[in-house]
Amino acid sequence: YGDAPEPMPRRTATKPQGSVNAAFSNNKTYVMPEEKRATDAHTRLLDDAEALGYVTGRGLSMETVNQFKLGLEIDRNGGRWLSIPHFEAGRLVNMKSRSLPPAAKTFRRVKDCKSILFNGDVIKQSADELFIAEGETDAMTLWNNGIKNVVAVTTGAGSFDASWVDQLQEVKRIILCYDADEAGQKGAREVARRLGFDRCLNLQLPEGADINSFFCEEQDAAAKFLELIDQARPYDVEGVCSFADALEQYRLELENPNQ
């Protein structure tokens, strides 16, 4: 990550338990960022009105800033980055950073760190229902608006590690909250296929929206989002339809036998 070199200890990752094999081998080693890096960046953000204004301008409260230890890092060229720490079992395992305006939007991560589900520590308390967002900011936006049982992928809409499938195997109902664009919907459908169409629902955002923009731009966004949850539907599976749909198709065939 970044331009400044820094020593980082390594540890050996263990294979996740469950029926699905992990994407990494047992002897895979990961870099572990120093906890001080995240705490220093968090303090720096709290002392920087401009960077903090960018975060709160995206609808995130100070409670959310503190909950997720958001921070500010400055590289050797003066580039400013919003840092988003990734914690697992309360320990820092990765740090992703987003370039701050006016720089063009881009992301960086600490090299060779473990990729996890963001906010994944909530999974054990979310066996009945869990929301999955396409990115960290979307997950923090849902948390900010009272939906605490939310995680996010950290490697982009088009990826979902096999070890994450293991982590979610006990969750009964999963609501996928991916972007409304083609890439987001394609990624969400693939996640549903891997996790099981029988327990996944697709929450359809308005065209062109993501979770963060929805809550920032829609009037009465919280109430409207509850409506979207109620309207979330299972994915269509080729060759499979609901009993109600089958009855409706049968009725139409009886009414129009020659079609």
Side-chain angles (χ1 to χ4, degrees):
Y1 169 88
D3 298 312
E6 56 185 29
M8 292 184 178
R10 294 176 178 269
R11 70 176 175 87
T12 300
T14 58
K15 181 179 179 181
Q17 298 301 308
S19 59
V20 180
N21 291 331
F24 304 111
S25 61
N26 285 354
N27 60 358
K28 172 71 177 181
T29 57
Y30 300 111
V31 164
M32 294 289 289
E34 295 181 358
E35 299 275 347
K36 188 175 184 298
R37 176 169 180 171
T39 56
D40 286 351
H42 181 59
T43 300
R44 192 178 300 116
L45 176 65
L46 297 181
D47 292 337
D48 192 296
E50 182 180 356
L52 191 58
Y54 168 80
V55 176
T56 57
R58 297 191 67 176
L60 301 182
S61 67
M62 289 305 301
E63 181 185 7
T64 301
V65 169
N66 290 319
Q67 169 70 20
F68 294 100
K69 300 295 187 292
L70 298 182
L72 171 64
E73 294 200 306
I74 304 174
D75 64 33
R76 64 177 62 183
N77 296 318
R80 292 159 61 82
W81 300 79
L82 176 69
S83 63
I84 307 173
H86 296 174
F87 293 97
E88 184 177 61
R91 296 184 61 195
L92 181 68
V93 297
N94 206 332
M95 284 184 68
K96 181 185 285 188
S97 296
R98 182 207 191 278
S99 56
L100 287 172
K105 180 180 177 181
T106 187
F107 293 91
R108 293 181 176 181
R109 301 200 317 166
V110 180
K111 185 179 180 181
D112 295 329
C113 282
K114 184 178 181 181
S115 296
I116 65 170
L117 286 170
F118 180 74
N119 199 40
D121 288 350
V122 304
I123 295 173
K124 292 182 180 179
Q125 292 80 44
S126 308
D128 289 334
E129 181 177 83
L130 184 74
F131 292 77
I132 301 180
E134 187 173 322
E136 295 93 335
T137 299
D138 290 337
M140 290 187 289
T141 300
L142 289 180
W143 192 95
N144 190 86
N145 287 277
I147 298 176
K148 310 299 185 182
N149 53 329
V150 58
V151 300
V153 298
T154 55
T155 51
S159 63
F160 203 85
D161 190 81
S163 65
W164 303 348
V165 178
D166 275 350
Q167 286 181 262
L168 301 173
Q169 60 186 351
E170 300 299 326
V171 181
K172 298 175 183 176
R173 175 174 138 119
I174 297 171
I175 301 175
L176 298 171
C177 305
Y178 277 49
D179 295 358
D181 59 18
E182 182 179 357
Q185 290 304 295
K186 182 178 179 181
R189 185 176 183 85
E190 175 59 19
V191 171
R193 184 190 69 80
R194 299 190 65 186
L195 294 177
F197 287 117
D198 59 318
R199 59 180 177 144
C200 290
L201 298 176
N202 183 31
L203 185 145
Q204 187 66 59
L205 292 164
E207 184 176 356
D210 58 32
I211 291 294
N212 184 253
S213 68
F214 179 86
F215 277 93
C216 288
E217 298 170 8
E218 290 281 339
Q219 291 187 347
D220 300 320
K224 290 181 180 178
F225 192 76
L226 290 177
E227 293 177 2
L228 292 181
I229 295 174
D230 289 339
Q231 295 165 9
R233 292 293 179 264
Y235 286 83
D236 293 331
V237 182
E238 185 176 356
V240 178
C241 65
S242 68
F243 182 68
D245 288 343
L247 283 178
E248 177 64 13
Q249 181 63 32
Y250 180 64
R251 183 186 67 78
L252 292 174
E253 290 176 356
L254 289 178
E255 293 177 355
N256 304 282
N258 297 322
Q259 291 187 1

